[in-house]
Amino acid sequence: MPAAGNKLGWYKLLASRLVTRYWPLVILAWISLAILLRSLAPAWDSIAADGDLAFLPDSVPSSIGQRALENAFPGSGTRSQIVIVAANESAPLANGDIALVLDLARRLHWLAAESAWRELRSSHSEQEERLTPILQAAPVAASEQGATSAIAPVAPEQARIADSVLAEIVRDNLTEAIEIENSLSKYFAERESGNFRRLPDAYRIRGELLSMLGDVDAAAADIDTAKLMREQATPTLDNALPDWFSAVRDVWSWRNSVVGHKLQSGDGHAKLIAIQLGTEFTAVSNIELLNGMEKLISDLRLEYGDILSDGFRVEASGSAAVGADMLRAAASGVQQTEIVTVLLVLLILALVYRAPFLVAIPLTSIALSLIVATSVIALLARDPANSASHGLGVFTTTRIFIVVLLFGAGTDFCLFLLARSREVLHARGVNTRRKMYAAVASSWRSVHDALVASALTTIVGLGLMWFSHFEKFQFSGPIIAISLAITLLVCLSFTPAFLSGIGQLAFWPQRPDRSTDLRQMTSAAGRSPQRDTSDGYWNWLASAIVLRPAFALAVTLGVLAGPAIYGVACLGRVTYDLTEELSSNAPSRRGAELISKFFSTLDGSPITILLTRKTAFDSEESLRAACDELSALLYLDGVDSVRSLTDPLGDYPPGKRMGLFDKDAWRRRILQNHRITKDRYVSSLNNMSRRVAKFDVILSDNPFSLESGATLARLCAKLDETITSENSTWKDTEFTTSGTTVGIVDLREVTQSDQRRIQVLVTIGVWLVLVIMLRQWVLSTYLIFTVLLSYFATLGITYWTFSHLYADYSGLDWKVPLFLFVILVAVGQDYNVYLVTRIFEEQRTLGRREGVRRALAVTGGIITSCGLVMAGTFIAMTSPAVSQWLSQFEIFAWLSNGAPVLRGITELGFALAFGVLLDTLVVRSILVPAFALLWQTTDARQRT
């Protein structure tokens, strides 16, 4: 039966002649276009963003809560953190261990102070101009005139600077760094070690700050100390502030008098340093920060190596470390997948063809497609730093899908054309350049409809992801669809032009025009006819299916039914735990495991609740009383502690009273006016004064877990009850929630809603493409059924496989079901369409039964080769995990690059490869031809 595209015979005739006869112009045009686009397009890294929670819709609670938080606390507060843990599981920390972690804390405090100092000076530029001459003259004055008259107080803006959180951060961190330094200098003096290096600039900057605050005597003393250190040539540290530390807002350690008890274990085995960051936990800059931290820790271990105890470990974890590890894993995975993809395609093509030019044609075409496609996408991309800007959202992992699908689908397109060209050359015999053009043009026309139809199913399926609400889905699908459309154009123009230009040399060392034997025309995938053995297999399989189609159909459906039913049951078994997605060798995961052995509270990712009243409380006391009242209400099941204006550390749950002589009472009283409380719980905006209350709710469970999501629901219900109660001081107050748990709950709801919507749209969209191209709605419906069956069977096998590979398995990565569905349903139709269109073609001359047999026998080898190529490109996505596993063995140790691996990408690569092989070897080989024959036989009987 004719495909719809046959009505455009004039177009195909003209286009086929143009790309073959004017092949130099076609090749030149594409190469020129690629060079031009590549020169204009920005680098991929500069336009690629990453993360998950940052790309949720603006209307979800976590986005609303984050905006409200930024409005109430502009430029303040922390969005993520890195936690450094120094621990020894088998014994308390020894003196050498403590010396190392003290030195690490000293340097981090210094860097935090330097970073805040620069920010403070830049924010007071007008004042800085007035103070600069005094500050520059201060050291001279201190040495020549004496400490008491070194620096005159600066009056006009002292009060404002004294109240600045930045000024307090500078002073506190410098004081901590200096106190640690004094302790360490005594320790090394006792050891008679002359390697200890000082920080004279810490004294100098503290002196400058104190002079700005009006403490003249203390300022002069610090400046004198700094000058004395330099005059005595004291060994000093490099004081340059590295760029990677610019996002740090503050550093807390176990030495802090008010929060330190939260950062050390009671048995002396572990101590923590919490680095507070102003960036989101998936910010790309966190990669450089984590790299810098790891380098600093490594250098200190080398410096202190001779005095460290056995079993002493220093690890980095925290939300920002997890985010950085995910970004590093994604970047490493992209690079490794690209390399493995190219090598696998090269290997498969070499084994299939054993002709260098037949290998070069697809690879050159795909390389050209990749350059043009990625350049076009880069030109259409939006600014990654501004999600409101126009353009396509491009993500780091998007490139993985572009590469594997372009190499897979592009190779398939080229193989279809090359295989048909070989058939034509076998049949006709070619001895002139003109006949070569005619043979390639004829082949082009023969495969055009099949290529367009198969490409359209994929393009339409992926393009429909535009209707997702989650931006990673919304943009990734259309971006891949655009790339495939460009690949189709290249394969329909550049590839035949390249083949026409090379001529019969393309098949060297074979000569396709030497034989016209019809049996040899069915040689699979361009293999040498004399040595091919797949021909016999496909003839046997085709004959067996034609002989007993009902039996073949029933047995195959029965075999697939079990995995498919299991796959349906596994559809909702997904995990949103970002830490679980990282492989066990990820530094942040090692750090989290070490922290969990000594600290049970997961306080790095609280739920932040912001309440905003329409009118302000009458007084500060009434605000504090209301906060106390609400804090008690928020201690629900699943809540470990509640931190607020009146209890900044969450040390006083309901029932624990703060007595006058309570050993911790002083800490709570100090904290109520401490900068930590001001920075976190008191809005500095006048219009927010006594109207805003902020609460950080620390959960008992993993913030990514379903249990934490249930706790969030209970908290929101309690808040709804409170703000609607007539007797509540919070009546008619608006509240918002933000934080990791809130974002994960939103992510789960949005993506699962997207999955249901996209599955329906993609199924209908691909079905419509099939109906239009094949004009057979019954057959098109059956083809959709087969890929759905393949999808669910693949999902079941994938879940079963990974649940046995990982001991801590809690489900498939949440991205796997949707991407697997869209790609399998779309890509899986490629081979079905190619087979069905060939069945229609053969039946026009050979009849119904012989047409099916002939089509399956002729296309068996080439479609299987294409399926192997496509599966090979997908399996390349698992290469980082395979390399990591192989590197355990000494002979393969060189394969390890130390980068963590994303479990989700590994699962998806395995699932896609398995699904493609299932479609290639089972669905297309058995289910489609068997049904086509049964349906056509039934249809013929009904007509007669």
Side-chain angles (χ1 to χ4, degrees):
M1 297 180 183
N6 287 344
K7 289 187 175 181
L8 300 177
W10 64 270
Y11 147 73
K12 291 189 285 186
L13 181 63
L14 177 61
S16 63
R17 289 180 176 176
L18 286 176
V19 298
T20 53
R21 295 186 181 181
Y22 298 96
W23 61 267
L25 293 178
V26 174
I27 293 175
L28 180 62
W30 273 112
I31 293 177
S32 301
L33 178 63
I35 294 173
L36 176 64
L37 291 174
R38 189 69 186 87
S39 63
L40 295 176
W44 187 268
D45 291 342
S46 68
I47 52 95
D50 220 310
D52 292 320
L53 303 186
F55 301 104
L56 288 168
D58 291 337
S59 58
V60 300
S62 59
S63 299
I64 295 172
Q66 187 60 46
R67 289 196 300 272
L69 193 61
E70 290 173 354
N71 289 335
F73 296 85
S76 66
T78 60
R79 297 186 178 184
S80 62
Q81 63 178 192
I82 290 179
V83 178
I84 306 297
V85 53
N88 191 326
E89 297 179 54
S90 58
L93 296 177
N95 288 339
D97 306 334
I98 296 174
L100 181 147
V101 71
L102 278 172
D103 203 349
L104 177 61
R106 173 182 69 124
R107 301 187 194 204
L108 293 177
H109 279 303
W110 155 250
L111 292 174
E114 172 71 4
S115 178
W117 175 244
R118 291 188 182 185
E119 185 178 350
L120 178 63
R121 289 176 68 96
S122 64
S123 65
H124 298 86
S125 55
E126 181 180 345
Q127 177 180 334
E128 183 180 343
E129 291 178 4
R130 188 162 48 81
L131 293 174
T132 297
I134 299 174
L135 297 177
Q136 289 178 340
V140 177
S143 61
E144 294 180 356
Q145 301 176 18
T148 55
S149 60
I151 305 172
V154 180
E157 300 185 1
Q158 287 177 0
R160 182 169 65 84
I161 298 175
D163 291 337
S164 168
V165 173
L166 279 175
E168 293 187 48
I169 290 175
V170 174
R171 181 173 57 190
D172 288 356
N173 278 283
L174 286 175
T175 299
E176 197 65 55
I178 290 171
E179 289 180 359
I180 293 174
E181 181 168 291
N182 290 335
S183 298
L184 283 174
S185 64
K186 294 177 182 178
Y187 173 76
F188 281 99
E190 293 173 358
R191 288 176 49 86
E192 298 181 354
S193 172
N195 296 328
F196 184 69
R197 292 173 292 169
R198 305 296 294 267
L199 282 169
D201 281 351
Y203 292 89
R204 177 184 59 80
I205 291 179
R206 191 172 68 170
E208 294 176 5
L209 175 66
L210 290 174
S211 72
M212 295 170 67
L213 300 178
D215 193 344
V216 179
D217 293 341
D222 277 346
I223 292 173
D224 279 342
T225 300
K227 183 174 183 294
L228 185 62
M229 283 184 181
R230 296 199 180 278
E231 288 177 349
Q232 294 178 348
T234 302
T236 61
L237 284 170
D238 179 11
N239 295 328
L241 181 67
D243 292 337
W244 50 265
F245 208 81
S246 59
V248 174
R249 278 194 48 80
D250 203 357
V251 172
W252 303 346
S253 75
W254 74 97
R255 289 174 48 88
N256 190 292
S257 59
V258 291
V259 300
H261 67 293
K262 296 280 189 179
L263 302 176
Q264 59 182 332
S265 64
D267 58 6
H269 283 247
K271 299 183 183 298
L272 302 180
I273 303 172
I275 304 169
Q276 312 298 323
L277 306 179
T279 55
E280 297 288 352
F281 80 99
T282 52
V284 177
S285 60
N286 290 343
I287 298 177
E288 190 177 6
L289 175 59
L290 187 59
N291 289 339
M293 291 299 308
E294 290 173 345
K295 176 66 165 54
L296 177 57
I297 293 171
S298 176
D299 290 345
L300 283 171
R301 288 196 70 98
L302 289 175
E303 186 175 335
Y304 285 81
D306 60 331
I307 61 174
L308 299 179
S309 63
D310 294 336
F312 175 66
R313 294 171 58 191
V314 182
E315 303 282 359
S317 189
S319 57
V322 172
D325 273 344
M326 292 182 66
L327 295 176
R328 292 196 296 192
S332 175
V334 169
Q335 183 180 22
Q336 191 165 343
T337 299
E338 288 183 1
I339 295 172
V340 174
T341 298
V342 173
L343 293 177
L344 278 176
V345 171
L346 180 62
L347 177 63
I348 293 172
L349 289 177
L351 291 174
V352 168
Y353 280 126
R354 286 174 279 183
F357 290 103
L358 286 182
V359 173
I361 291 174
L363 287 180
T364 305
S365 301
I366 297 164
L368 180 68
S369 303
L370 187 61
I371 293 172
V372 174
T374 52
S375 298
V376 168
I377 297 303
L379 289 170
L380 296 175
R382 70 185 181 191
D383 181 1
N386 180 14
S387 60
S389 59
H390 297 289
L392 297 173
V394 180
F395 308 96
T396 303
T397 51
T398 304
R399 188 176 177 91
I400 293 180
F401 294 106
I402 292 177
V403 170
V404 297
L405 280 172
L406 257 62
F407 269 88
T411 303
D412 288 357
F413 296 158
C414 292
L415 286 177
F416 289 152
L417 175 65
L418 294 174
R420 182 54 70 94
S421 298
R422 186 176 182 83
E423 283 187 42
V424 174
L425 292 173
H426 272 306
R428 295 184 178 182
V430 175
N431 52 22
T432 66
R433 173 68 69 172
R434 183 177 295 276
K435 287 185 177 181
M436 181 68 188
Y437 295 161
V440 176
S442 175
S443 305
W444 188 97
R445 292 190 295 271
S446 298
V447 300
H448 173 275
D449 289 352
L451 292 186
V452 172
S454 62
L456 277 179
T457 59
T458 308
I459 291 170
V460 169
L462 289 166
L464 286 171
M465 291 180 70
W466 175 260
F467 294 98
S468 302
H469 291 158
F470 181 52
E471 285 193 353
K472 265 197 170 181
F473 293 162
Q474 181 185 28
F475 288 110
S476 294
I479 283 174
I480 302 169
I482 291 172
S483 302
L484 284 176
I486 292 172
T487 303
L488 177 65
L489 291 176
V490 170
C491 293
L492 287 175
S493 54
F494 178 85
T495 304
F498 195 2
L499 178 59
S500 299
I502 296 178
Q504 293 190 66
L505 183 62
F507 301 94
W508 179 85
Q510 304 169 32
R511 292 296 301 273
D513 59 338
R514 291 279 178 90
S515 174
T516 59
D517 180 69
L518 290 178
R519 188 179 62 83
Q520 292 178 351
M521 286 168 55
T522 63
S523 175
R527 292 184 181 179
S528 173
Q530 290 77 10
R531 299 181 60 183
D532 182 62
T533 58
S534 64
D535 191 24
Y537 168 76
W538 290 110
N539 268 317
W540 170 83
L541 180 63
S543 300
I545 292 175
V546 169
L547 182 63
R548 303 183 66 183
F551 176 79
L553 185 66
V555 170
T556 306
L557 289 176
V559 171
L560 293 180
I565 293 172
Y566 184 61
V568 173
C570 295
L571 193 58
R573 298 179 188 177
V574 296
T575 178
Y576 287 77
D577 191 338
L578 302 185
T579 57
E580 188 176 297
E581 185 176 357
L582 287 168
S583 57
S584 58
N585 73 319
S588 60
R589 191 164 181 180
R590 293 198 309 266
E593 291 171 355
L594 185 59
I595 291 173
S596 66
K597 294 177 180 179
F598 302 100
F599 303 91
S600 58
T601 302
L602 304 172
D603 59 355
S605 302
I607 294 175
T608 297
I609 299 172
L610 190 72
L611 292 99
T612 307
R613 282 170 51 101
K614 295 179 181 178
T615 58
F617 281 97
D618 296 335
S619 64
E620 188 71 23
E621 289 72 19
S622 59
L623 170 62
R624 291 178 179 274
C627 288
D628 264 340
E629 176 189 352
L630 186 57
S631 292
L633 294 176
L634 295 179
Y635 274 92
L636 305 174
D637 289 341
V639 173
D640 183 85
S641 62
V642 178
R643 300 177 179 179
S644 66
L645 174 65
T646 55
D647 189 11
L649 296 181
D651 287 334
Y652 288 87
K656 182 178 180 181
R657 302 185 61 183
M658 184 179 70
L660 181 62
F661 299 103
D662 190 330
K663 64 178 182 179
D664 294 327
W666 63 271
R667 183 182 296 115
R668 184 176 182 184
R669 294 189 180 96
I670 291 175
L671 266 173
Q672 289 180 0
N673 293 308
H674 195 273
R675 66 174 175 82
I676 293 177
T677 304
K678 293 179 182 179
D679 192 22
R680 287 176 171 261
Y681 303 109
V682 179
S683 176
S684 60
L685 300 180
N686 291 331
N687 63 335
M688 295 287 184
S689 178
R690 298 199 308 276
R691 290 180 54 227
V692 172
K694 179 185 172 189
F695 299 81
D696 286 331
V697 180
I698 311 303
L699 305 180
S700 304
D701 301 300
N702 185 328
F704 300 99
S705 66
L706 292 172
E707 290 78 11
S708 290
T711 303
L712 172 64
R714 289 193 294 271
L715 287 169
C716 290
K718 175 59 70 174
L719 288 167
D720 282 328
E721 178 186 333
T722 301
I723 65 176
T724 55
S725 173
E726 293 294 335
N727 300 323
S728 173
T729 54
W730 298 100
K731 187 178 185 304
D732 296 330
T733 297
E734 295 182 358
F735 78 88
T736 60
T737 56
S738 59
T740 300
T741 298
V742 185
I744 291 298
V745 170
D746 289 342
L747 184 66
R748 182 183 293 113
E749 293 179 355
V750 169
T751 55
Q752 290 183 355
S753 174
D754 281 345
Q755 181 172 324
R756 292 189 293 268
R757 182 186 308 107
I758 297 307
Q759 284 177 341
V760 173
L761 289 176
V762 169
T763 301
I764 295 174
V766 173
W767 180 80
L768 287 175
V769 171
L770 291 174
V771 170
I772 292 171
M773 299 302 296
L774 301 178
R775 294 189 171 185
Q776 300 289 340
W777 71 269
V778 174
L779 183 58
S780 299
T781 304
Y782 175 76
L783 294 181
I784 290 293
F785 163 76
T786 61
V787 292
L788 290 177
L789 179 67
S790 175
Y791 164 72
F792 286 115
T794 299
L795 197 66
I797 294 296
T798 302
Y799 185 91
W800 182 88
T801 300
F802 284 92
S803 65
H804 285 76
L805 283 178
Y806 298 111
D808 58 343
Y809 198 68
S810 59
L812 293 168
D813 180 76
W814 58 274
K815 297 180 288 295
V816 170
L818 180 60
F819 276 109
L820 177 65
F821 180 88
V822 173
I823 295 175
L824 272 192
V825 170
V827 174
Q829 295 296 354
D830 285 9
Y831 311 133
N832 291 341
V833 169
Y834 190 72
L835 173 62
V836 169
T837 54
R838 188 58 182 262
I839 288 175
F840 292 163
E841 179 183 339
E842 296 293 344
Q843 285 178 336
R844 284 196 289 269
T845 57
L846 299 176
R848 185 172 60 253
R849 297 178 66 87
E850 181 59 22
V852 172
R853 192 203 67 78
R854 168 74 174 173
L856 180 57
V858 170
T859 62
I862 180 59
I863 294 182
T864 301
S865 298
C866 291
L868 290 174
V869 170
M870 182 69 80
T873 60
F874 286 138
I875 207 67
M877 296 170 65
T878 69
S879 58
V882 174
S883 298
Q884 184 187 84
W885 178 76
L886 288 175
S887 64
Q888 300 176 84
F889 306 100
E890 186 175 352
I891 190 174
F892 295 113
W894 57 274
L895 288 173
S896 176
N897 60 4
V901 176
L902 294 179
R903 182 182 294 182
I905 295 296
T906 304
E907 291 176 344
L908 185 57
F910 171 87
L912 287 171
F914 183 87
V916 167
L917 290 176
L918 189 62
D919 277 333
T920 304
L921 302 176
V922 178
V923 173
R924 183 268 314 173
S925 300
I926 301 175
L927 293 182
V928 172
F931 177 83
L933 187 58
L934 289 172
W935 167 68
Q936 289 176 339
T937 301
T938 303
D939 185 57
R941 289 175 181 172
Q942 290 176 347
R943 291 184 179 182
T944 58

